[in-house]
Amino acid sequence: MRAPHIDAKSVDGNSGTRSTIEPVAQPARQKWYQWFSPDDTPEERRLIMKLDGLIMVFVFLAYWAKVLDSSATSTAYVSGMKEDLKLYGNQLNYLNTVYMVGFITMQIPLTLLMTRFPVNYFLPAADLLWGVFTLVQYKVNNVNQLYAFRFFVGALGGFFFPAVQWYMGSWYKRSEMNRRGAIFFIASQIGSMSSGYIQSGAYATLNGVHGIEGWRWLYIICFACTIPIALIGLCLLPGTPENCTSRLLSTHEIQLAQSRMASEHREPRQPFTWPKIKTILSGWHFWVLVSFAFFFSQADGVSSNSGLPLWLKAENYGVEDINTITTVSPAVTIVWSIFCGIVADAYDAKVGLIALTAGMNIFASVVLAAWDVPTGLKFFAFFLSGSADGIAAVIYAWANEICAGSAEERALVISSMNTIGNTFGAWLPLFVWKTVDAPRYLIGYNWTIALDVCMLLMLFILRGFWNREMKVKNI
Protein backbone atom coordinates (compact mmCIF):
# COMPACT_ATOMS: atom_id res chain seq x y z
CA MET A 1 0.00 0.00 0.00
CA ARG A 2 1.26 3.48 -0.80
CA ALA A 3 0.74 6.65 1.18
CA PRO A 4 -1.93 8.96 -0.26
CA HIS A 5 -0.61 11.90 -2.28
CA ILE A 6 -1.69 15.47 -1.59
CA ASP A 7 -1.36 18.03 -4.38
CA ALA A 8 -0.42 21.71 -4.43
CA LYS A 9 2.38 23.73 -6.02
CA SER A 10 5.68 24.47 -4.37
CA VAL A 11 9.40 24.44 -5.06
CA ASP A 12 11.77 21.81 -3.69
CA GLY A 13 14.40 23.83 -1.84
CA ASN A 14 17.07 21.15 -2.24
CA SER A 15 16.94 20.40 -5.93
CA GLY A 16 15.16 23.49 -7.22
CA THR A 17 12.63 21.37 -9.13
CA ARG A 18 8.88 21.79 -9.13
CA SER A 19 6.92 19.32 -7.09
CA THR A 20 3.23 18.98 -6.27
CA ILE A 21 2.98 19.24 -2.53
CA GLU A 22 0.89 21.45 -0.32
CA PRO A 23 2.35 23.39 2.61
CA VAL A 24 3.25 21.31 5.63
CA ALA A 25 1.27 22.42 8.65
CA GLN A 26 3.20 23.00 11.85
CA PRO A 27 2.38 20.14 14.23
CA ALA A 28 0.65 20.90 17.49
CA ARG A 29 3.27 20.46 20.20
CA GLN A 30 2.59 18.54 23.37
CA LYS A 31 3.69 19.88 26.76
CA TRP A 32 7.01 18.57 28.01
CA TYR A 33 5.24 16.17 30.38
CA GLN A 34 2.83 14.84 27.74
CA TRP A 35 3.49 11.85 25.51
CA PHE A 36 0.93 12.70 22.82
CA SER A 37 0.14 15.80 20.78
CA PRO A 38 -3.12 17.60 21.65
CA ASP A 39 -4.25 16.96 18.06
CA ASP A 40 -3.73 13.19 18.22
CA THR A 41 -6.98 11.30 17.98
CA PRO A 42 -7.62 8.29 20.23
CA GLU A 43 -6.86 6.09 17.21
CA GLU A 44 -3.53 7.83 16.67
CA ARG A 45 -2.60 7.47 20.31
CA ARG A 46 -3.28 3.74 20.19
CA LEU A 47 -1.19 3.50 17.02
CA ILE A 48 1.69 5.45 18.58
CA MET A 49 1.69 3.23 21.64
CA LYS A 50 1.73 0.16 19.41
CA LEU A 51 4.62 1.53 17.38
CA ASP A 52 6.57 2.26 20.56
CA GLY A 53 6.11 -1.35 21.63
CA LEU A 54 6.89 -2.83 18.22
CA ILE A 55 9.86 -0.64 17.25
CA MET A 56 11.43 1.01 20.29
CA VAL A 57 11.72 -2.14 22.41
CA PHE A 58 13.73 -3.94 19.74
CA VAL A 59 16.01 -1.06 18.72
CA PHE A 60 16.81 -0.22 22.35
CA LEU A 61 17.72 -3.78 23.29
CA ALA A 62 19.64 -4.38 20.05
CA TYR A 63 21.73 -1.23 20.48
CA TRP A 64 22.48 -2.16 24.09
CA ALA A 65 23.71 -5.57 22.94
CA LYS A 66 25.97 -3.97 20.32
CA VAL A 67 27.87 -2.14 23.06
CA LEU A 68 28.61 -5.40 24.86
CA ASP A 69 30.56 -6.67 21.88
CA SER A 70 32.34 -3.39 21.20
CA SER A 71 34.02 -3.72 24.60
CA ALA A 72 34.27 -7.52 24.67
CA THR A 73 37.53 -7.77 22.73
CA SER A 74 39.35 -5.27 24.95
CA THR A 75 38.07 -7.09 28.04
CA ALA A 76 38.99 -10.49 26.57
CA TYR A 77 42.47 -9.20 25.73
CA VAL A 78 43.27 -8.49 29.39
CA SER A 79 41.43 -11.60 30.57
CA GLY A 80 43.59 -14.28 28.98
CA MET A 81 43.21 -13.90 25.23
CA LYS A 82 46.56 -12.14 24.94
CA GLU A 83 48.39 -15.14 26.38
CA ASP A 84 46.28 -17.85 24.73
CA LEU A 85 46.63 -16.41 21.23
CA LYS A 86 50.13 -15.02 21.81
CA LEU A 87 49.20 -11.42 21.05
CA TYR A 88 52.43 -9.81 22.16
CA GLY A 89 52.79 -7.16 19.44
CA ASN A 90 50.34 -4.60 18.04
CA GLN A 91 47.65 -7.21 17.32
CA LEU A 92 45.06 -5.51 19.56
CA ASN A 93 45.47 -2.28 17.58
CA TYR A 94 45.16 -4.25 14.35
CA LEU A 95 42.00 -5.97 15.63
CA ASN A 96 40.45 -2.61 16.41
CA THR A 97 41.51 -1.30 13.02
CA VAL A 98 39.98 -4.25 11.15
CA TYR A 99 36.78 -3.81 13.14
CA MET A 100 36.63 -0.10 12.25
CA VAL A 101 37.34 -0.82 8.57
CA GLY A 102 34.25 -3.06 8.44
CA PHE A 103 32.29 -0.60 10.58
CA ILE A 104 33.05 2.42 8.40
CA THR A 105 33.17 1.00 4.88
CA MET A 106 29.86 -0.85 5.11
CA GLN A 107 27.70 1.78 6.85
CA ILE A 108 26.48 3.57 3.74
CA PRO A 109 26.17 0.48 1.46
CA LEU A 110 24.23 -1.57 4.02
CA THR A 111 21.97 1.34 5.01
CA LEU A 112 21.09 1.94 1.38
CA LEU A 113 20.65 -1.80 0.78
CA MET A 114 18.24 -1.94 3.69
CA THR A 115 15.92 0.50 1.92
CA ARG A 116 15.56 -2.00 -0.93
CA PHE A 117 14.37 -4.88 1.30
CA PRO A 118 11.67 -5.35 3.93
CA VAL A 119 13.18 -3.65 6.97
CA ASN A 120 11.37 -5.95 9.40
CA TYR A 121 13.46 -8.84 8.02
CA PHE A 122 16.66 -7.02 7.11
CA LEU A 123 17.47 -5.56 10.54
CA PRO A 124 16.82 -8.74 12.58
CA ALA A 125 18.63 -10.87 9.97
CA ALA A 126 21.68 -8.61 10.22
CA ASP A 127 21.43 -8.95 14.01
CA LEU A 128 21.32 -12.74 13.75
CA LEU A 129 24.41 -12.78 11.53
CA TRP A 130 26.13 -10.34 13.87
CA GLY A 131 25.40 -12.71 16.75
CA VAL A 132 26.80 -15.68 14.82
CA PHE A 133 30.05 -13.88 13.94
CA THR A 134 30.31 -12.78 17.56
CA LEU A 135 29.88 -16.35 18.77
CA VAL A 136 32.46 -17.93 16.46
CA GLN A 137 35.13 -15.67 17.95
CA TYR A 138 35.15 -17.89 21.03
CA LYS A 139 36.48 -20.77 18.91
CA VAL A 140 39.43 -18.95 17.34
CA ASN A 141 42.89 -20.50 17.65
CA ASN A 142 44.93 -17.71 16.09
CA VAL A 143 44.72 -13.99 15.49
CA ASN A 144 44.22 -14.31 11.71
CA GLN A 145 40.85 -15.99 12.27
CA LEU A 146 39.95 -13.22 14.69
CA TYR A 147 40.82 -10.56 12.11
CA ALA A 148 38.28 -11.99 9.64
CA PHE A 149 35.51 -12.29 12.21
CA ARG A 150 36.10 -8.79 13.58
CA PHE A 151 35.64 -7.31 10.11
CA PHE A 152 32.20 -8.90 9.70
CA VAL A 153 31.17 -8.00 13.25
CA GLY A 154 32.08 -4.37 12.52
CA ALA A 155 30.27 -4.38 9.18
CA LEU A 156 27.05 -5.92 10.52
CA GLY A 157 26.95 -3.70 13.60
CA GLY A 158 28.18 -0.44 12.09
CA PHE A 159 25.14 0.41 9.98
CA PHE A 160 22.67 -0.19 12.82
CA PHE A 161 22.65 3.38 14.17
CA PRO A 162 21.94 5.21 10.88
CA ALA A 163 19.54 2.46 9.81
CA VAL A 164 17.44 2.85 12.94
CA GLN A 165 17.44 6.65 12.60
CA TRP A 166 16.07 6.23 9.07
CA TYR A 167 13.57 3.61 10.22
CA MET A 168 12.16 5.77 13.01
CA GLY A 169 11.79 8.57 10.48
CA SER A 170 9.54 6.27 8.43
CA TRP A 171 6.96 5.97 11.22
CA TYR A 172 7.13 8.95 13.57
CA LYS A 173 6.24 12.59 13.08
CA ARG A 174 8.82 15.31 13.62
CA SER A 175 7.17 16.25 16.94
CA GLU A 176 7.71 12.64 18.09
CA MET A 177 11.20 11.88 16.79
CA ASN A 178 13.45 13.57 19.33
CA ARG A 179 12.28 11.70 22.42
CA ARG A 180 12.37 8.37 20.71
CA GLY A 181 15.77 9.11 19.24
CA ALA A 182 16.95 9.93 22.76
CA ILE A 183 15.56 6.66 24.13
CA PHE A 184 17.36 4.77 21.37
CA PHE A 185 20.62 6.66 21.88
CA ILE A 186 20.86 6.19 25.65
CA ALA A 187 20.88 2.41 25.13
CA SER A 188 24.54 2.81 24.18
CA GLN A 189 25.28 4.73 27.38
CA ILE A 190 23.48 2.17 29.52
CA GLY A 191 25.37 -0.53 27.67
CA SER A 192 28.73 1.08 28.38
CA MET A 193 27.83 1.42 32.06
CA SER A 194 26.63 -2.17 32.40
CA SER A 195 29.09 -4.00 30.15
CA GLY A 196 31.94 -3.85 32.63
CA TYR A 197 29.85 -5.38 35.40
CA ILE A 198 28.44 -8.10 33.12
CA GLN A 199 31.82 -9.04 31.69
CA SER A 200 33.70 -9.00 34.98
CA GLY A 201 30.97 -11.09 36.63
CA ALA A 202 30.93 -13.54 33.73
CA TYR A 203 34.68 -13.99 33.83
CA ALA A 204 34.70 -14.47 37.60
CA THR A 205 31.96 -17.12 37.60
CA LEU A 206 32.45 -18.91 34.25
CA ASN A 207 36.22 -19.10 33.81
CA GLY A 208 37.04 -22.79 33.23
CA VAL A 209 33.41 -23.97 33.18
CA HIS A 210 33.07 -26.81 30.65
CA GLY A 211 36.77 -26.36 29.93
CA ILE A 212 36.21 -22.96 28.32
CA GLU A 213 38.42 -20.03 29.27
CA GLY A 214 36.75 -16.98 30.75
CA TRP A 215 37.59 -14.67 27.85
CA ARG A 216 35.88 -17.05 25.43
CA TRP A 217 32.74 -16.98 27.58
CA LEU A 218 32.49 -13.24 26.96
CA TYR A 219 31.72 -13.87 23.27
CA ILE A 220 29.24 -16.61 24.15
CA ILE A 221 27.41 -14.20 26.45
CA CYS A 222 27.24 -11.55 23.71
CA PHE A 223 25.73 -14.17 21.39
CA ALA A 224 23.25 -15.28 24.06
CA CYS A 225 22.08 -11.68 24.49
CA THR A 226 21.80 -11.01 20.76
CA ILE A 227 19.83 -13.99 19.43
CA PRO A 228 16.68 -13.54 21.56
CA ILE A 229 16.67 -9.82 20.72
CA ALA A 230 16.95 -10.58 16.99
CA LEU A 231 14.03 -13.03 17.27
CA ILE A 232 12.01 -10.34 19.04
CA GLY A 233 12.71 -8.08 16.08
CA LEU A 234 11.53 -10.71 13.60
CA CYS A 235 8.28 -11.03 15.53
CA LEU A 236 7.62 -7.35 16.27
CA LEU A 237 9.02 -5.00 13.61
CA PRO A 238 6.26 -3.79 11.27
CA GLY A 239 8.24 -2.99 8.12
CA THR A 240 7.50 0.46 6.69
CA PRO A 241 4.08 2.12 6.28
CA GLU A 242 3.98 1.69 2.49
CA ASN A 243 4.98 -1.99 2.73
CA CYS A 244 3.63 -3.26 6.03
CA THR A 245 2.52 -6.85 6.50
CA SER A 246 2.48 -6.87 10.29
CA ARG A 247 -0.20 -9.00 11.89
CA LEU A 248 -0.04 -6.73 14.91
CA LEU A 249 -1.31 -3.68 12.99
CA SER A 250 -4.74 -3.59 11.40
CA THR A 251 -5.34 -2.40 7.85
CA HIS A 252 -6.89 0.77 9.24
CA GLU A 253 -3.85 1.42 11.46
CA ILE A 254 -1.50 0.98 8.51
CA GLN A 255 -3.57 3.45 6.48
CA LEU A 256 -3.52 5.84 9.42
CA ALA A 257 0.27 5.55 9.61
CA GLN A 258 0.50 6.30 5.88
CA SER A 259 -1.67 9.38 6.20
CA ARG A 260 0.38 10.61 9.17
CA MET A 261 3.56 10.44 7.11
CA ALA A 262 1.84 11.97 4.07
CA SER A 263 0.72 14.92 6.21
CA GLU A 264 4.40 15.72 6.76
CA HIS A 265 5.42 14.81 3.21
CA ARG A 266 7.51 11.90 4.48
CA GLU A 267 7.70 10.14 1.15
CA PRO A 268 7.71 6.32 0.79
CA ARG A 269 10.57 4.49 -0.88
CA GLN A 270 11.16 4.92 -4.61
CA PRO A 271 13.61 3.32 -7.06
CA PHE A 272 17.20 4.26 -6.24
CA THR A 273 18.59 5.56 -9.55
CA TRP A 274 21.83 7.32 -10.49
CA PRO A 275 19.97 10.53 -11.43
CA LYS A 276 18.43 10.53 -7.96
CA ILE A 277 21.84 10.04 -6.34
CA LYS A 278 23.24 12.93 -8.40
CA THR A 279 20.33 15.12 -7.34
CA ILE A 280 20.91 14.29 -3.69
CA LEU A 281 24.64 14.97 -3.93
CA SER A 282 24.08 18.29 -5.71
CA GLY A 283 21.73 19.66 -3.03
CA TRP A 284 22.55 21.55 0.14
CA HIS A 285 20.94 18.91 2.38
CA PHE A 286 23.80 16.47 1.90
CA TRP A 287 26.76 18.83 2.15
CA VAL A 288 25.55 21.04 4.97
CA LEU A 289 24.26 18.20 7.16
CA VAL A 290 27.34 16.01 6.63
CA SER A 291 29.65 18.96 7.33
CA PHE A 292 27.72 19.77 10.47
CA ALA A 293 27.92 16.13 11.57
CA PHE A 294 31.72 16.22 11.30
CA PHE A 295 32.05 18.96 13.92
CA PHE A 296 29.44 17.41 16.20
CA SER A 297 30.92 13.91 16.02
CA GLN A 298 34.42 15.05 17.02
CA ALA A 299 33.32 17.46 19.76
CA ASP A 300 32.83 14.74 22.40
CA GLY A 301 36.57 14.20 22.77
CA VAL A 302 36.71 15.29 26.42
CA SER A 303 34.41 12.47 27.54
CA SER A 304 35.59 9.84 25.05
CA ASN A 305 39.36 10.02 25.49
CA SER A 306 39.82 8.92 29.12
CA GLY A 307 40.96 12.26 30.51
CA LEU A 308 38.93 11.85 33.70
CA PRO A 309 40.09 8.34 34.73
CA LEU A 310 43.71 9.16 33.90
CA TRP A 311 43.54 12.33 35.98
CA LEU A 312 41.97 10.43 38.87
CA LYS A 313 44.70 7.81 38.65
CA ALA A 314 47.37 10.55 38.68
CA GLU A 315 45.70 11.96 41.80
CA ASN A 316 46.07 8.53 43.48
CA TYR A 317 42.39 7.62 43.56
CA GLY A 318 41.75 3.91 44.07
CA VAL A 319 40.46 1.61 41.33
CA GLU A 320 37.03 1.31 42.94
CA ASP A 321 36.70 5.09 43.25
CA ILE A 322 37.80 5.61 39.64
CA ASN A 323 35.29 3.06 38.36
CA THR A 324 32.52 4.71 40.38
CA ILE A 325 33.32 8.34 39.59
CA THR A 326 33.68 7.77 35.85
CA THR A 327 30.09 6.50 35.63
CA VAL A 328 28.92 10.08 36.19
CA SER A 329 29.82 11.15 32.63
CA PRO A 330 27.56 8.62 30.84
CA ALA A 331 24.89 9.40 33.42
CA VAL A 332 25.10 13.08 32.42
CA THR A 333 24.81 12.03 28.76
CA ILE A 334 21.67 10.02 29.55
CA VAL A 335 20.01 12.83 31.50
CA TRP A 336 20.89 15.49 28.92
CA SER A 337 19.74 13.27 26.03
CA ILE A 338 16.34 12.77 27.63
CA PHE A 339 16.05 16.46 28.48
CA CYS A 340 16.93 17.51 24.93
CA GLY A 341 14.55 14.97 23.41
CA ILE A 342 11.63 16.14 25.53
CA VAL A 343 12.28 19.86 25.04
CA ALA A 344 12.93 19.54 21.30
CA ASP A 345 9.63 17.71 20.77
CA ALA A 346 7.63 20.04 23.02
CA TYR A 347 9.02 23.39 21.89
CA ASP A 348 10.82 22.69 18.59
CA ALA A 349 13.94 24.08 20.27
CA LYS A 350 16.55 22.28 18.18
CA VAL A 351 18.73 25.31 17.47
CA GLY A 352 18.70 26.53 21.06
CA LEU A 353 19.53 23.11 22.49
CA ILE A 354 22.42 22.54 20.08
CA ALA A 355 23.81 26.02 20.77
CA LEU A 356 23.48 25.57 24.54
CA THR A 357 25.24 22.20 24.42
CA ALA A 358 28.08 23.63 22.36
CA GLY A 359 28.39 26.51 24.83
CA MET A 360 28.57 24.13 27.80
CA ASN A 361 31.21 22.04 26.06
CA ILE A 362 33.24 25.16 25.29
CA PHE A 363 33.10 26.20 28.95
CA ALA A 364 34.19 22.71 30.09
CA SER A 365 37.06 22.67 27.60
CA VAL A 366 38.24 26.16 28.58
CA VAL A 367 38.36 25.11 32.24
CA LEU A 368 40.31 21.95 31.42
CA ALA A 369 42.66 23.77 29.06
CA ALA A 370 43.46 26.18 31.90
CA TRP A 371 43.92 23.10 34.13
CA ASP A 372 45.21 24.96 37.23
CA VAL A 373 41.71 25.46 38.66
CA PRO A 374 40.02 24.32 41.89
CA THR A 375 39.47 20.57 42.05
CA GLY A 376 35.70 20.95 42.31
CA LEU A 377 35.59 23.05 39.14
CA LYS A 378 37.71 20.47 37.33
CA PHE A 379 35.30 17.70 38.34
CA PHE A 380 32.40 19.86 37.17
CA ALA A 381 34.06 20.44 33.79
CA PHE A 382 34.73 16.74 33.23
CA PHE A 383 31.15 15.84 34.15
CA LEU A 384 29.66 18.71 32.10
CA SER A 385 31.49 17.47 28.99
CA GLY A 386 29.28 14.38 29.12
CA SER A 387 26.49 16.52 27.69
CA ALA A 388 28.27 16.78 24.31
CA ASP A 389 26.64 13.63 22.90
CA GLY A 390 23.24 14.48 24.39
CA ILE A 391 22.10 16.28 21.24
CA ALA A 392 22.66 13.30 18.92
CA ALA A 393 18.95 12.45 18.80
CA VAL A 394 18.04 16.08 18.07
CA ILE A 395 20.51 16.35 15.19
CA TYR A 396 19.43 13.12 13.49
CA ALA A 397 15.74 13.90 14.01
CA TRP A 398 16.38 17.24 12.32
CA ALA A 399 18.05 15.45 9.40
CA ASN A 400 14.97 13.22 9.07
CA GLU A 401 12.79 16.32 8.99
CA ILE A 402 14.93 18.19 6.45
CA CYS A 403 15.14 15.20 4.10
CA ALA A 404 11.51 14.15 4.54
CA GLY A 405 10.76 14.47 0.82
CA SER A 406 12.86 11.46 -0.18
CA ALA A 407 13.34 8.17 1.65
CA GLU A 408 16.48 7.56 -0.38
CA GLU A 409 17.91 10.96 0.51
CA ARG A 410 17.21 10.32 4.19
CA ALA A 411 19.09 7.03 4.01
CA LEU A 412 22.10 8.44 2.14
CA VAL A 413 22.39 11.62 4.21
CA ILE A 414 21.94 9.99 7.63
CA SER A 415 24.36 7.15 6.90
CA SER A 416 26.90 9.62 5.48
CA MET A 417 26.60 11.82 8.57
CA ASN A 418 27.40 8.88 10.80
CA THR A 419 30.14 7.55 8.54
CA ILE A 420 32.02 10.85 8.40
CA GLY A 421 32.12 10.97 12.18
CA ASN A 422 33.40 7.43 12.55
CA THR A 423 35.95 7.85 9.77
CA PHE A 424 37.64 10.87 11.31
CA GLY A 425 37.15 9.52 14.81
CA ALA A 426 39.23 6.48 13.89
CA TRP A 427 42.46 8.43 13.32
CA LEU A 428 42.20 12.05 14.48
CA PRO A 429 42.62 11.18 18.17
CA LEU A 430 46.06 9.76 17.37
CA PHE A 431 47.22 13.30 16.64
CA VAL A 432 45.01 15.36 18.94
CA TRP A 433 44.55 13.18 22.03
CA LYS A 434 48.07 11.80 22.42
CA THR A 435 48.56 9.49 25.38
CA VAL A 436 51.81 11.27 26.27
CA ASP A 437 49.78 14.45 26.91
CA ALA A 438 47.48 12.74 29.43
CA PRO A 439 45.79 13.68 31.65
CA ARG A 440 46.18 17.33 30.58
CA TYR A 441 45.30 17.06 26.93
CA LEU A 442 46.04 20.69 26.14
CA ILE A 443 45.87 20.17 22.37
CA GLY A 444 42.71 18.07 22.72
CA TYR A 445 40.86 20.58 24.89
CA ASN A 446 41.72 23.47 22.57
CA TRP A 447 40.75 21.32 19.59
CA THR A 448 37.37 20.72 21.22
CA ILE A 449 36.86 24.46 21.69
CA ALA A 450 37.59 25.02 17.99
CA LEU A 451 35.20 22.23 16.99
CA ASP A 452 32.35 23.66 19.05
CA VAL A 453 32.91 27.16 17.69
CA CYS A 454 32.81 25.76 14.15
CA MET A 455 29.71 23.75 15.04
CA LEU A 456 27.99 26.97 16.16
CA LEU A 457 28.90 28.62 12.85
CA MET A 458 27.61 25.59 10.92
CA LEU A 459 24.46 25.64 13.04
CA PHE A 460 23.58 29.13 11.83
CA ILE A 461 24.41 28.18 8.24
CA LEU A 462 22.17 25.11 8.53
CA ARG A 463 19.37 27.13 10.12
CA GLY A 464 19.66 29.75 7.37
CA PHE A 465 19.35 27.21 4.56
CA TRP A 466 16.47 25.43 6.32
CA ASN A 467 14.56 28.65 7.10
CA ARG A 468 14.86 29.69 3.45
CA GLU A 469 13.55 26.32 2.28
CA MET A 470 10.66 26.42 4.74
CA LYS A 471 9.76 29.89 3.53
CA VAL A 472 9.72 28.71 -0.08
CA LYS A 473 7.57 25.73 0.86
CA ASN A 474 5.41 27.90 3.11
CA ILE A 475 5.97 25.59 6.07
Side-chain angles (χ1 to χ4, degrees):
M1 290 182 286
R2 299 184 64 82
H5 189 70
I6 307 173
D7 293 327
K9 286 186 178 181
S10 77
V11 178
D12 189 312
N14 187 43
S15 63
T17 57
R18 287 278 172 181
S19 58
T20 54
I21 55 174
E22 67 179 11
V24 181
Q26 286 288 350
R29 299 279 176 173
Q30 64 279 357
K31 302 295 184 182
W32 67 268
Y33 53 84
Q34 295 176 323
W35 194 248
F36 302 106
S37 166
D39 290 345
D40 289 338
T41 65
E43 289 179 323
E44 281 187 279
R45 297 185 180 195
R46 285 193 294 271
L47 172 62
I48 293 168
M49 291 300 294
K50 271 193 175 184
L51 293 176
D52 290 341
L54 298 176
I55 297 173
M56 297 310 302
V57 171
F58 167 73
V59 299
F60 182 93
L61 292 175
Y63 202 28
W64 169 81
K66 296 287 185 293
V67 178
L68 292 182
D69 175 75
S70 66
S71 59
T73 296
S74 296
T75 304
Y77 181 81
V78 298
S79 303
M81 183 173 75
K82 175 182 178 181
E83 293 75 17
D84 288 349
L85 300 185
K86 298 179 174 56
L87 310 181
Y88 296 115
N90 292 320
Q91 287 88 347
L92 180 60
N93 291 334
Y94 299 152
L95 285 170
N96 291 332
T97 299
V98 168
Y99 174 86
M100 288 306 300
V101 168
F103 193 97
I104 291 169
T105 59
M106 298 306 295
Q107 274 191 6
I108 295 175
L110 287 178
T111 303
L112 298 182
L113 186 63
M114 180 196 67
T115 67
R116 303 300 94 199
F117 292 92
V119 182
N120 51 317
Y121 298 129
F122 194 93
L123 278 178
D127 241 28
L128 286 170
L129 286 174
W130 179 81
V132 170
F133 278 107
T134 299
L135 175 65
V136 294
Q137 292 175 92
Y138 102 94
K139 291 290 290 182
V140 296
N141 297 313
N142 59 72
V143 71
N144 292 325
Q145 295 171 343
L146 201 54
Y147 287 145
F149 297 145
R150 292 304 294 169
F151 174 85
F152 287 106
V153 168
L156 291 165
F159 85 102
F160 188 77
F161 180 83
V164 170
Q165 295 290 344
W166 178 88
Y167 187 44
M168 290 191 297
S170 299
W171 284 100
Y172 291 108
K173 292 174 131 180
R174 52 189 158 144
S175 59
E176 302 162 350
M177 277 286 297
N178 294 280
R179 283 170 297 172
R180 287 158 181 88
I183 291 171
F184 168 62
F185 177 75
I186 65 173
S188 64
Q189 304 300 312
I190 294 174
S192 67
M193 294 173 69
S194 62
S195 61
Y197 298 109
I198 293 173
Q199 290 167 355
S200 61
Y203 181 83
T205 57
L206 293 173
N207 187 27
V209 174
H210 301 301
I212 301 173
E213 295 93 337
W215 68 267
R216 297 182 187 271
W217 275 108
L218 298 179
Y219 292 112
I220 297 174
I221 289 171
C222 288
F223 168 81
C225 292
T226 300
I227 297 306
I229 294 171
L231 294 176
I232 288 173
L234 284 172
C235 295
L236 295 184
L237 290 184
T240 52
E242 77 277 4
N243 185 25
C244 181
T245 57
S246 174
R247 297 179 180 178
L248 301 174
L249 293 176
S250 67
T251 301
H252 178 70
E253 287 173 328
I254 296 171
Q255 292 172 341
L256 178 59
Q258 292 174 347
S259 66
R260 277 164 46 86
M261 294 299 96
S263 70
E264 299 209 340
H265 297 179
R266 200 79 53 80
E267 292 294 327
R269 292 177 290 183
Q270 303 291 340
F272 217 141
T273 61
W274 279 114
K276 176 168 287 189
I277 294 175
K278 292 178 181 178
T279 299
I280 294 171
L281 295 179
S282 65
W284 74 262
H285 291 177
F286 181 88
W287 297 106
V288 175
L289 284 169
V290 171
S291 299
F292 182 83
F294 164 76
F295 295 110
F296 159 71
S297 65
Q298 306 307 309
D300 68 345
V302 177
S303 59
S304 62
N305 283 282
S306 304
L308 177 58
L310 291 175
W311 172 62
L312 293 173
K313 184 176 181 180
E315 294 294 313
N316 297 316
Y317 281 78
V319 174
E320 184 176 345
D321 288 335
I322 293 174
N323 289 336
T324 301
I325 293 171
T326 52
T327 61
V328 175
S329 291
V332 170
T333 304
I334 291 171
V335 171
W336 191 245
S337 296
I338 295 173
F339 174 82
C340 289
I342 292 172
V343 172
D345 274 349
Y347 304 107
D348 194 20
K350 297 182 288 289
V351 173
L353 289 167
I354 295 170
L356 176 59
T357 303
M360 293 192 301
N361 208 24
I362 289 173
F363 174 79
S365 299
V366 168
V367 170
L368 294 172
W371 196 252
D372 293 324
V373 298
T375 300
L377 181 58
K378 193 175 293 185
F379 269 116
F380 178 75
F382 274 121
F383 295 154
L384 185 64
S385 68
S387 64
D389 281 333
I391 51 173
V394 175
I395 290 171
Y396 281 92
W398 199 2
N400 263 304
E401 179 181 344
I402 290 172
C403 302
S406 168
E408 292 69 38
E409 182 183 51
R410 285 195 298 115
L412 181 57
V413 170
I414 289 173
S415 59
S416 298
M417 289 169 65
N418 199 52
T419 298
I420 194 73
N422 287 305
T423 301
F424 281 91
W427 60 270
L428 264 180
L430 299 176
F431 300 95
V432 178
W433 301 94
K434 296 180 180 179
T435 305
V436 294
D437 295 335
R440 188 189 180 184
Y441 292 106
L442 182 59
I443 297 174
Y445 299 140
N446 283 293
W447 170 244
T448 302
I449 295 170
L451 286 169
D452 278 297
V453 170
C454 291
M455 188 169 76
L456 286 171
L457 293 175
M458 283 300 305
L459 173 63
F460 289 106
I461 292 172
L462 173 57
R463 185 182 68 168
F465 274 103
W466 182 229
N467 284 346
R468 185 183 67 178
E469 183 168 322
M470 289 194 296
K471 185 177 180 180
V472 171
K473 290 183 176 180
N474 194 25
I475 296 178

